[in-house]
Amino acid sequence: MQTDSPVDPEPEVRKIVYGFPGTAARLNFVQNDGSYDGYEISLVKALDERLEQYEFELYLAGEFSALTPGLDAGKFNMVGSNITWKQERADNYLYSEVSYFGSPYVIGVQPDNTEINSLEDLAGRHVLTVTGTATAIFLEGYNEENPDGQILIDYIDASAQEIISQVVTGRYDACIQNKSDFAIANEEHGYDLKMIEIPDVERISLPNGYFLFAKGETELQQAVDAVLREMKADGSLSELCLQYFTMDLVPIED
């Protein structure tokens, strides 16, 4: 008696919820029609195409500060928004081993400002930042180490471009943002701020950005890292970056 051969079941596709703030120019943002775009958004779509075992769902978190709580609550499997390496994050989450973006931090002040030429010159000045970011953590630590030279930190949930505009209008003395943010501000809005280098900028954070995963997502992390390495090797990651930036900001070293 002839029997039908067993049919191998289709491999199960796992849904991965990717959280992002939607407030980072060129990286992740919401277009006028409500759709999502940006270098990171396009990169996640590339991951979705290359990793057949996963289906990536984009989830607008609205704020950078909502990303890690979303991982904690099991709302997200993976998040991103140029997340730099910090030990306290590494203690609680998984970083991708491969970085897909790199841009060092600098101080931005009005072009005619001759009083601020260094980090120390920010003492007693109002500096705008976003809660929980690498800049905020750095400024808070700086104030702890320099009680007699406190920087006045003002917090806001806003995009880098909105923060830069506050310095342009003179409402705030300075901000600390990535070089790429200032380049975008100049290209898109004509904002022309003076950029001041920060010695040992690694004190703020290593300039490279990574994806962040919930603890226990080792298999997903390794799969994403494998694709990032492939895209670096075949040049497609740089090509993707150049669609959103006027320079290749893909780090050479992982």
Side-chain angles (χ1 to χ4, degrees):
M1 180 177 178
Q2 186 175 3
T3 59
D4 293 333
S5 300
V7 178
D8 292 334
E10 290 290 330
E12 185 176 346
V13 176
R14 182 182 172 213
K15 184 175 77 171
I16 301 299
V17 180
Y18 174 79
F20 64 99
T23 57
R26 307 290 179 93
L27 289 173
N28 60 82
F29 58 92
V30 182
Q31 300 200 94
N32 292 334
D33 63 1
S35 62
Y36 308 139
D37 198 6
Y39 171 48
E40 290 170 336
I41 300 300
S42 293
L43 179 51
V44 171
K45 290 179 179 178
L47 293 173
D48 186 64
E49 292 177 359
R50 295 190 182 216
L51 294 172
E52 296 181 354
Q53 69 271 40
Y54 299 117
E55 178 183 350
F56 288 80
E57 176 184 315
L58 299 172
Y59 191 100
L60 178 64
E63 299 175 356
F64 183 89
S65 58
L67 297 183
T68 52
L71 289 174
D72 295 336
K75 189 175 184 179
F76 308 137
N77 307 100
M78 170 182 171
V79 297
S81 188
N82 190 27
I83 299 175
T84 52
W85 196 93
K86 287 289 182 182
Q87 184 62 54
E88 54 265 40
R89 289 197 193 110
D91 290 340
N92 295 288
Y93 311 99
L94 295 176
Y95 274 97
S96 59
E97 293 182 357
V98 181
S99 170
Y100 59 86
F101 186 75
S103 180
Y105 286 93
V106 293
I107 301 168
V109 299
Q110 291 188 336
D112 58 354
N113 188 315
T114 59
E115 297 180 353
I116 299 176
N117 298 290
S118 68
L119 186 63
E120 291 73 21
D121 291 337
L122 293 179
R125 308 282 185 171
H126 286 272
V127 176
L128 195 59
T129 190
V130 176
T131 303
T133 59
T135 303
I137 294 170
F138 167 72
L139 289 171
E140 291 159 359
Y142 180 88
N143 279 348
E144 290 179 5
E145 296 172 2
N146 298 274
D148 297 327
Q150 296 273 304
I151 297 171
L152 304 179
I153 308 172
D154 293 290
Y155 298 95
I156 187 174
D157 273 316
S159 69
Q161 301 306 302
E162 291 170 328
I163 290 174
I164 291 171
S165 72
Q166 297 295 306
V167 178
V168 171
T169 60
R171 293 182 181 178
Y172 291 88
D173 298 302
C175 63
I176 297 177
Q177 298 291 148
N178 291 304
K179 268 189 175 180
S180 59
D181 292 327
F182 291 107
I184 293 169
N186 181 267
E187 180 182 342
E188 293 189 351
H189 307 289
Y191 297 156
D192 184 22
L193 292 183
K194 180 172 68 175
M195 290 184 288
I196 301 167
E197 302 289 337
I198 302 174
D200 301 322
V201 70
E202 290 81 8
R203 290 180 297 166
I204 299 180
S205 73
L206 296 175
N208 294 349
Y210 300 84
F211 289 122
L212 203 63
F213 305 85
K215 283 285 190 182
E217 291 286 4
T218 305
E219 186 174 340
L220 173 62
Q221 172 209 33
Q222 292 174 346
V224 169
D225 278 331
V227 172
L228 291 177
R229 289 190 178 97
E230 290 174 2
M231 294 182 70
K232 276 192 174 185
D234 65 22
S236 58
L237 192 57
S238 292
E239 291 176 5
L240 200 60
C241 183
L242 287 168
Q243 292 179 21
Y244 295 94
F245 297 91
T246 56
M247 63 185 78
D248 184 358
L249 296 171
V250 175
I252 297 174
E253 299 294 333
D254 292 342

